[in-house]
Amino acid sequence: MPVSTTDIQTALKQMRHIDLSEMKAIKLMNRIDTKYIANRRQLLQILTLALNDYRAQNIDKEIISKYDTIYFDTADVAMYQRHHDRRLQRQKIRTRKYVTSDIAFVEIKNKTNKGHTQKVRTAIGNDAWHDFRTDTAAAQFVASRTQYDVATLLPQVRTRFDRITLVNNAKTERLTIDMNLTFDNYTTRQTVSLNELIIIELKQDSQADSPMKRILRDLRIFPAKISKYCIGTALTNPDVRSNRFKIKIRKIEKLTQHRLTVTKATN
């Protein structure tokens, strides 16, 4: 029987909760991220096993939050190409709307050659979410922190998903679980939905062991390098080089037992 979002919500309600004010103390802005991919059935197993060691974030009585993100890149998708070509030092520039909280940011994620992720961001108005360059202060913020000419950056891929956030009892790590992913490409006008895919990201200041690492290992869910922007681009833009990501796409198909299809976007 398919696992529904209601099934997942029921499992989350069994966990202790943590509110947004407590979450502010767990920023982990300079961190090591470890990603995993799973399916909905495995997610239910994870939540059951994590019941005593983790708390679920609760925002205005909502334990599943909606996110809306736009990734910016050059016309020749230079940031995507650096990732595809396995360049260790990489950057992503995006605007993100936290739909549940009705707030938005422009964010810059830098990946160092040592595997660390450093994120900086500044708040923007919702009217600047579609294009941060309409906000002078936001454009200056990005220009001072990137090697790319801000004038050349264009909206490339919009990513919408639902997110669950878990925090360990010691408040030393955060786990984000993304589901119901949809990718819309601004260039090709194509869209892909991956409703069965679960992307898990464990965020820590170090590679120390954790209850979640043990849970995932016991379930035979192993680290998997995956970028929502890159997978979304590879699936919705047939003109970009995507050889490196084809094996990963086949793995997603096998995991979700769903053949990925591309259709025309409606917005």
Side-chain angles (χ1 to χ4, degrees), residues 64-247:
I64 298 179
S65 301
K66 293 188 176 299
Y67 282 55
D68 209 337
T69 302
I70 297 174
Y71 287 92
F72 290 75
D73 207 335
T74 60
D76 59 353
V77 290
M79 292 181 227
Y80 167 86
Q81 296 294 355
R82 284 188 66 84
H83 198 134
H84 182 276
D85 296 342
R86 302 178 186 272
R87 300 292 182 88
L88 295 178
Q89 289 183 292
R90 304 189 298 268
Q91 190 170 74
K92 290 190 179 73
I93 298 171
R94 69 193 185 194
T95 55
R96 169 161 286 178
K97 182 188 294 184
Y98 296 78
V99 179
T100 304
S101 304
D102 194 32
I103 55 176
F105 295 87
V106 59
E107 303 180 339
I108 302 172
K109 288 183 71 176
N110 294 293
K111 189 61 139 323
T112 72
N113 57 10
K114 297 185 182 298
H116 287 260
T117 300
Q118 300 168 334
K119 185 174 80 170
V120 293
R121 69 182 186 180
T122 187
I124 56 175
N126 284 330
D127 55 342
W129 170 72
H130 284 286
D131 190 346
F132 69 88
R133 295 170 303 178
T134 63
D135 183 321
T136 301
Q140 291 175 344
F141 175 85
V142 174
S144 66
R145 292 166 173 82
T146 183
Q147 63 184 8
Y148 300 97
D149 181 352
V150 170
T152 68
L153 299 178
L154 304 169
Q156 290 289 350
V157 174
R158 179 181 180 183
T159 306
R160 291 169 286 162
F161 56 89
D162 296 335
R163 171 167 287 183
I164 298 162
T165 300
L166 304 182
V167 179
N168 67 333
N169 290 335
K171 299 182 182 180
T172 58
E173 65 182 42
R174 185 169 71 244
L175 189 81
T176 58
I177 302 170
D178 297 340
M179 61 184 186
N180 299 329
L181 289 100
T182 297
F183 304 103
D184 299 309
N185 193 294
Y186 286 90
T187 300
T188 66
R189 305 299 299 165
Q190 293 181 339
T191 188
V192 166
S193 294
L194 303 178
N195 292 329
E196 291 298 316
L197 179 67
I198 304 297
I199 298 180
I200 301 167
E201 190 166 0
L202 179 62
K203 308 166 194 284
Q204 301 172 288
D205 281 329
S206 70
Q207 288 279 28
D209 196 18
S210 72
M212 185 56 64
K213 281 186 175 180
R214 293 193 293 273
I215 289 170
L216 295 172
R217 186 169 57 244
D218 290 346
L219 293 175
R220 301 188 61 77
I221 300 172
F222 303 109
K225 294 181 180 179
I226 187 169
S227 159
K228 285 194 284 290
Y229 172 53
C230 290
I231 290 297
T233 299
L235 287 172
T236 60
N237 189 341
D239 296 326
V240 300
R241 290 186 295 125
S242 60
N243 290 341
R244 182 190 165 196
F245 302 121
K246 287 182 178 177
I247 293 176

Side-chain angles (χ1 to χ4, degrees), residues 1-5 7-8 11 37-49 177 179 195-198 200 215-216 218-221 254-257:
M1 177 179 291
V3 174
S4 69
T5 298
D7 295 329
I8 294 168
I37 58 174
N39 57 38
R40 284 172 171 257
R41 178 184 55 79
Q42 291 171 315
L43 175 57
L44 276 184
Q45 293 176 304
I46 292 167
L47 295 176
T48 300
L49 294 171
I177 302 170
M179 61 184 186
N195 292 329
E196 291 298 316
L197 179 67
I198 304 297
I200 301 167
I215 289 170
L216 295 172
D218 290 346
L219 293 175
R220 301 188 61 77
I221 300 172
K254 182 177 180 181
L255 183 68
T256 61
Q257 298 183 339

